[in-house]
Amino acid sequence: MKFIVARLLRALALAGALTPFVLLAASAPPAPAAAESRKFTPIVGRKIWDLSRITDRTKSRMELTDLIRFKGQWYCGFHEGEIHGNHPAGRGRIIRSRDGERWESVALLHWDAGDVREPRLSITAEGHLMINTSVFFVSKTARADGNFYQLPRGGPDPDRPSVAPDGEPVVSRQSVTWLSVDGTNWSEAYVCASGVNTWRWDVTWHNGMGYSIGYSGKDVAGTLYRTRDGKTWRPLLEKFLPSGRGNEGSLAFGADHTAYCLLRGDPGSAMLGIGKAPYYQEWTWKDPLVDWDGTGVLQPANEVIRSLGGPKILRLRDGRLVGVGRASGISLFLIDPEKGTMMRFAAVAGTSYAGIAEHEGFIWVTCGEGAAAGIYLAKVKIPAAGGTSD
């Protein structure tokens, strides 16, 4: 396995004058094909990264982003690969900017015979910037069916034993982390035994601990994990997912330490969970009602959202909860977990998972576009309490 941390290449900074964030710029990605509410004209961001910034490839998809602000600078992580699925060319990249306009590459994550899936960003209790992801182990040559999986994603293959002759489980993926004190110099990968055959997707830190929901593989019914340092993890609650089914999940915590989960549901299109402090062993799940058109009319999420891809929940400085996910483009919405409602207030043009961060009255949003040919950044004004954004 191999981990490469790219040196800062200031020569890669975007050349020339940069235009401000705009609505419906001609060079920006087209709005998603799905019908949008007329009230929510998609905000179109500016391109911050594309293939011209990748010097060692002529073909690459850029998608599945995350965003964070660390020590006065912006960090964006995303996946690069020849295809959307698992592939030996898959890797993760971290780029950085002080002002959101000029960006430079600060880390490039490789793994021999493994696809480094989308990197997720968080700040540990010790104040270190952390990358977490899952490495999906792949063959360097395609199988007869055309894919590169060593093991199928859906479960054990009758022709491929799930237990090796020595009694150890066959490993198809591994959750891993990297740490940095300055966003420039990175540790080697931390590999914890609890991360074998699971994907700890997003991480949220609260009260000195990091929390993440593992899914797929051995955690097909979901497991809530906890860490003190981001290096080693322990399961906190098994069979976490409602009805034992679900997908990507993100966590936020209230002032009273209550935990809130925004989940890409299954069979629901999205689910809201409330976890009881301090041990988070008791969870209440709700099929949310949504106002997706700004009319005040609430409808079951399943009737409006096909699937909330890449959900992220964030607690704002004023205590409100905001969420983002791929549904009708990239949708931003206020969440009331007690009422079980999601009220959309803005849409961003894009089709790939979004990263969000709060800064000076705005939510900054990163995402990929339909052709996966670039990464875009937009700013959305935070709506006033009881209102909608401009």
Side-chain angles (χ1 to χ4, degrees):
M1 56 185 168
K2 177 174 61 174
F3 171 64
I4 299 175
V5 179
R7 301 291 297 173
L8 300 183
L9 301 176
R10 299 190 180 280
L12 287 178
L14 288 174
L18 295 172
T19 56
F21 300 99
V22 295
L23 292 179
L24 301 180
S27 61
E36 282 280 350
S37 164
R38 291 182 180 177
K39 182 163 186 168
F40 296 112
T41 301
I43 298 171
V44 178
R46 56 182 302 278
K47 187 183 292 186
I48 61 173
W49 205 261
D50 61 21
L51 190 58
S52 69
R53 311 296 302 276
I54 302 175
T55 59
D56 62 339
R57 292 184 177 178
T58 58
K59 176 184 178 182
S60 188
R61 293 175 58 92
M62 289 157 281
E63 55 188 347
L64 309 170
T65 73
D66 199 19
L67 179 69
I68 201 167
R69 189 167 176 82
F70 175 68
K71 293 188 176 180
Q73 298 200 76
W74 293 102
Y75 290 79
C76 175
F78 53 92
H79 180 257
E80 293 180 357
E82 290 189 15
I83 63 174
H84 174 75
N86 299 296
H87 188 276
R91 63 191 187 185
R93 185 183 293 273
I94 309 297
I95 60 176
R96 177 172 67 188
S97 173
R98 185 168 296 279
D99 57 10
E101 294 186 348
R102 297 179 180 272
W103 293 79
E104 59 192 358
S105 179
V106 292
L108 190 59
L109 314 174
H110 293 272
W111 205 285
D112 188 36
D115 186 344
V116 180
R117 300 303 301 177
E118 59 261 36
R120 307 292 295 178
L121 301 167
S122 64
I123 300 173
T124 72
E126 295 179 331
H128 298 163
L129 183 60
M130 187 175 85
I131 302 168
N132 70 282
T133 183
S134 176
V135 178
F136 194 98
F137 299 113
V138 291
S139 171
K140 292 184 177 181
T141 57
R143 287 169 41 174
D145 60 5
N147 71 53
F148 292 83
Y149 307 151
Q150 292 183 353
L151 293 170
R153 293 186 301 174
D157 185 331
D159 298 324
R160 297 167 184 264
S162 59
V163 177
D166 60 3
E168 291 295 317
V170 174
V171 179
S172 61
R173 68 162 66 248
Q174 169 75 50
S175 290
V176 297
T177 59
W178 291 269
L179 296 170
S180 175
V181 297
D182 57 9
T184 300
N185 301 292
W186 295 87
S187 70
E188 292 297 318
Y190 289 99
V191 179
C192 175
S194 70
V196 172
N197 288 334
T198 190
W199 190 347
R200 287 191 286 259
W201 187 68
D202 195 57
V203 177
T204 301
W205 292 81
H206 174 71
N207 208 23
M209 307 291 282
Y211 296 83
S212 183
I213 302 162
Y215 76 99
S216 79
K218 71 178 182 184
D219 288 330
V220 66
T223 296
L224 178 63
Y225 288 92
R226 186 167 68 181
T227 183
R228 292 183 181 275
D229 56 11
K231 303 174 185 178
T232 59
W233 298 74
R234 297 181 62 183
L236 186 64
L237 176 63
E238 296 180 345
K239 298 181 179 178
F240 172 81
L241 298 174
S243 303
R245 300 170 65 182
N247 206 283
E248 304 129 348
S250 176
L251 298 164
F253 293 84
D256 62 354
H257 308 296
T258 298
Y260 302 103
C261 177
L262 178 62
L263 179 70
R264 182 178 181 178
D266 179 10
S269 60
M271 297 290 289
L272 295 176
I274 303 175
K276 186 177 180 181
Y279 304 114
Y280 308 111
Q281 299 297 296
E282 300 177 33
W283 285 78
T284 301
W285 292 95
K286 298 180 180 181
D287 238 326
L289 296 173
V290 302
D291 173 9
W292 226 237
D293 298 322
T295 62
V297 177
L298 293 171
Q299 299 174 270
N302 283 348
E303 297 181 5
V304 180
I305 303 171
R306 184 173 63 86
S307 178
L308 187 70
K312 176 72 176 182
I313 185 171
L314 177 70
R315 184 183 176 208
L316 299 176
R317 290 184 176 86
D318 63 14
R320 289 181 295 168
L321 296 173
V322 66
V324 68
R326 185 187 62 196
S328 304
I330 302 300
S331 293
L332 289 93
F333 44 92
L334 293 170
I335 299 171
D336 187 327
E338 299 298 334
K339 294 180 180 178
T341 59
M342 298 174 7
M343 315 290 284
R344 186 165 66 145
F345 62 87
V348 173
T351 57
S352 182
Y353 293 0
I356 55 173
E358 178 184 8
H359 184 58
E360 297 181 344
F362 287 86
I363 297 173
W364 291 48
V365 184
T366 55
C367 63
E369 47 84 37
I375 302 299
Y376 289 78
L377 172 66
K379 294 197 295 184
V380 179
K381 186 173 178 59
I382 297 174
T388 58
S389 64
D390 295 341

